[in-house]
Amino acid sequence: MAGGQYNLNGGQYGPPIYPPQKTYNSHGRRGADVGCGICRCCCSSLLCCGGCLLSLICNILFGLAVFLGIAALILWFIFRPNVVKFQVTEANLTRFHLDPQTNNLHYNLSLNFSVRNPNRRLGIHYDQLEARGFYGDRRFAAVSMPSLYQGHKNTTEVGTEFNGQSLVLLGSGGRKDLREDHKSGIYRIDVKLRSKIRFKYGFLNSWTFGPKIKCHLKVPLSSSNSAGGFQFHSTKCHVDL
């Protein structure tokens, strides 16, 4: 050390270290590599093009489905189809007996239905009608009814009959109700109708509806003297479209 200065021995230090230089990659204009889906598809592989074509077809089908749905909704509000009306006008019960040994229910019940189409512009196709008899929550019979077409503002009479025997396993509550009905001579029987209907306007037909129809009946046994002169009364059915 001389004159207050330090002499550094350069042999003890390595070469100077410089900061790393920044490198820049040119990405070009934004969107040049991405592009729109269709343009990129045309410039890419065939696999990409196939995926874009499938996506285009799906979008077209989806748009068509939305259009048809909106058109059907508009037609629905224009014509406003009213619910069909069902009622049981006649019921004749000549046998309703449960064998306690075999649990077989013997029955003979005939019914007449009045079916009303209240619509002014719409006809109704009844493609399927099936009547089912229930006692309590147990079904004891099912009968198919003929299909039919009903015109505007029309009332049609249809009939059916439950006749035969079937195994019916009633619980304690059901057996109690049956004893009460046997004592009174008036039986509480439910009839449910399964149906498939279509509305018709001109040559156009709607899609299929499956309204649920329930009829809660009180029917006197014709051979019973305990009914006290009770007569069956016309009973409206509940229709859930």
Side-chain angles (χ1 to χ4, degrees):
M1 178 176 67
Q5 295 181 352
Y6 292 92
N7 292 325
L8 300 177
N9 186 359
Q12 296 181 358
Y13 295 90
I17 300 175
Y18 299 100
Q21 295 182 355
K22 295 182 179 180
T23 58
Y24 299 91
N25 294 326
S26 177
H27 295 286
R29 291 177 303 170
R30 178 177 179 86
D33 188 39
V34 179
C36 69
I38 297 179
C39 295
R40 187 182 179 188
C41 173
C42 295
C43 299
S44 302
S45 64
L46 292 177
L47 180 61
C48 177
C49 288
C52 289
L53 180 61
L54 181 61
S55 177
L56 180 62
I57 294 174
C58 290
N59 289 334
I60 293 174
L61 293 177
F62 178 76
L64 182 61
V66 171
F67 172 77
L68 292 177
I70 293 175
L73 188 61
I74 292 174
L75 290 176
W76 178 274
F77 280 108
I78 291 175
F79 298 113
R80 291 184 179 273
N82 294 314
V83 178
V84 293
K85 298 179 180 180
F86 279 77
Q87 65 177 353
V88 181
T89 56
E90 294 182 13
N92 185 26
L93 182 66
T94 58
R95 191 179 188 189
F96 204 81
H97 172 70
L98 181 67
D99 190 329
Q101 302 298 325
T102 63
N103 289 316
N104 280 328
L105 179 66
H106 302 264
Y107 52 87
N108 190 350
L109 172 64
S110 60
L111 300 170
N112 283 335
F113 293 90
S114 174
V115 185
R116 175 68 177 171
N117 175 15
N119 296 283
R120 294 181 179 179
R121 301 187 182 97
L122 301 175
I124 301 177
H125 286 285
Y126 296 87
D127 296 326
Q128 178 182 337
L129 275 176
E130 183 185 60
R132 297 182 173 187
F134 288 81
Y135 188 82
D137 58 350
R138 304 296 181 181
R139 190 179 74 179
F140 63 85
V143 179
S144 295
M145 302 169 65
S147 58
L148 58 97
Y149 172 76
Q150 194 174 31
H152 316 154
K153 303 289 285 186
N154 179 266
T155 301
T156 305
E157 301 289 335
V158 294
T160 190
E161 183 176 0
F162 301 134
N163 185 15
Q165 64 177 9
S166 61
L167 180 66
V168 177
L169 300 177
L170 296 176
S172 58
R175 289 182 176 273
K176 179 181 178 181
D177 291 340
L178 185 60
R179 288 193 298 268
E180 293 177 354
D181 290 353
H182 180 71
K183 184 177 180 181
S184 65
I186 304 170
Y187 291 82
R188 293 163 287 183
I189 299 173
D190 293 332
V191 176
K192 300 180 182 180
L193 297 178
R194 291 187 60 188
S195 63
K196 291 183 179 180
I197 67 173
R198 290 175 296 130
F199 293 101
K200 180 182 179 182
Y201 177 75
F203 61 90
L204 298 177
N205 290 290
S206 73
W207 57 90
T208 300
F209 294 88
K212 299 178 181 179
I213 305 162
K214 299 179 181 179
C215 313
H216 303 288
L217 309 178
K218 291 183 178 181
V219 188
L221 187 66
S222 59
S223 60
S224 175
N225 295 323
S226 57
F230 179 85
Q231 300 292 325
F232 176 79
H233 299 283
S234 182
T235 303
K236 293 183 179 180
C237 304
H238 176 72
V239 180
D240 184 6
L241 190 59

